[in-house]
Amino acid sequence: MTQDELKQAVARAAIEYVPVGTVVGVGTGSTANYFIDELGKIKHKLDGAVASSEGSAQRLKKLGIEVLQLNDVTELPVYVDGADEITHHLAMIKGGGGALTREKIVAAVARKFVCIADQSKLVDVLGKFPLPIEVIPMARSYVAREIVKLGGQPALRQGFTTDNGNVILDVHNLTIMKPLELESALNQITGVVANGLFARRGADVLLLGSEKGVQTLTR
Ligand code: 5RP
């Protein structure tokens, strides 16, 4: 199976986690896009969706799925999204698509986070994938210096502005042995909007696409 076929398989499997007659939280990225396509097939069973990016919102609307603002929603039973890396404990690096802040917000509201990923995303230790950090533009240099003190090598994502009007620093050379601690430490740096470590609020379920089929991991 190709990587795209694995992504499609987990996207299909995630539909089982979407309760009928509810609003579903929808992530961002190529795997999430396959999930959106699957949602299109059951749209008559949905009350709508909350999107973690403008891109996903557009894709949902094109399929005729109503997109609601998070502030107008009190209940979000499930949030489905991909990851750049995920451990067996279901801590993740996210934000390869630059949507990490909104992803974190929607994930915080959701009762259940279902991560959908192909097998290449499963790792023992987070950090090989550069950790994205969303930063207020005027704080970029200061935040970069603070990250160097923590042992990382930040690189500005060139020509990219987030949906919130900010920039992304991709932090290389991290071997993240203590994701909870690093997530908190990064949040303490003034000018950081959010970082791509999802350890405090990790996934509840991982649907992992492999040659053996879709495996389900929970924590
Ligand atoms: C976007 C994300 C994505 O979930 C992550 O980058 C994985 O993307 P893909 O499914 O395309 O591999 O965090 O900000």
Side-chain angles (χ1 to χ4, degrees), residues 9-10 44 48 56 62 99 129-130 135 154 156-157 173 177 209:
V10 291
H44 54 284
S56 291
K62 261 193 198 154
F129 189 94
V135 177
L156 178 66
R157 197 176 292 185
N173 279 357
M177 302 309 289

Side-chain angles (χ1 to χ4, degrees), residues 7 28-32 81-84 94-100 103 118 121:
K7 289 180 181 184
T28 298
S30 58
T31 320
D81 198 359
D84 298 302
K94 291 184 47 53
L100 59 144
E103 289 170 349
D118 66 86
K121 307 292 182 66

Side-chain angles (χ1 to χ4, degrees), residues 44-77:
H44 54 284
K45 295 184 183 170
L46 297 174
D47 277 0
V50 168
S52 66
S53 65
E54 298 299 334
S56 291
Q58 289 312 318
R59 199 175 177 100
L60 286 158
K61 284 179 193 165
K62 261 193 198 154
L63 289 172
I65 298 169
E66 187 182 0
V67 176
L68 303 162
Q69 296 302 310
L70 184 63
N71 285 324
D72 295 331
V73 169
T74 46
E75 278 269 281
L76 208 53

Side-chain angles (χ1 to χ4, degrees), residues 32-208:
N33 281 345
Y34 284 123
F35 175 65
I36 294 172
D37 295 345
E38 293 300 322
L39 282 179
K41 299 175 190 169
I42 58 147
K43 61 182 172 191
H44 54 284
K45 295 184 183 170
L46 297 174
D47 277 0
V50 168
S52 66
S53 65
E54 298 299 334
S56 291
Q58 289 312 318
R59 199 175 177 100
L60 286 158
K61 284 179 193 165
K62 261 193 198 154
L63 289 172
I65 298 169
E66 187 182 0
V67 176
L68 303 162
Q69 296 302 310
L70 184 63
N71 285 324
D72 295 331
V73 169
T74 46
E75 278 269 281
L76 208 53
V78 67
Y79 175 59
V80 179
D81 198 359
D84 298 302
E85 285 183 348
I86 183 161
T87 67
H88 291 85
H89 301 291
L90 309 196
M92 295 167 281
I93 284 183
K94 291 184 47 53
L100 59 144
T101 301
R102 293 190 186 195
E103 289 170 349
K104 232 175 207 190
I105 295 168
V106 182
V109 174
R111 256 200 320 271
K112 185 178 278 185
F113 187 141
V114 177
C115 178
I116 49 176
D118 66 86
Q119 59 196 1
S120 70
K121 307 292 182 66
L122 188 64
V123 298
D124 290 327
V125 179
L126 298 171
K128 204 166 178 189
F129 189 94
L131 177 66
I133 302 189
E134 180 164 352
V135 177
I136 300 285
M138 72 169 288
R140 171 173 52 91
S141 297
Y142 166 71
V143 171
R145 289 193 295 275
E146 293 300 302
I147 287 170
V148 169
K149 288 183 197 165
L150 293 175
Q153 279 191 354
L156 178 66
R157 197 176 292 185
Q158 295 294 330
F160 185 85
T161 304
T162 70
D163 285 348
N164 313 308
N166 299 314
V167 296
I168 298 273
L169 293 174
D170 290 306
V171 184
H172 298 253
N173 279 357
L174 291 172
T175 303
I176 305 172
M177 302 309 289
K178 294 182 174 172
L180 280 169
E181 282 84 341
L182 184 61
E183 184 176 1
S184 297
L186 290 169
N187 284 340
Q188 295 309 311
I189 302 173
T190 304
V192 167
V193 179
N195 71 80
L197 270 174
F198 284 58
R200 206 152 288 278
R201 203 291 176 248
D204 300 300
V205 178
L206 166 60
L207 299 176
L208 188 72

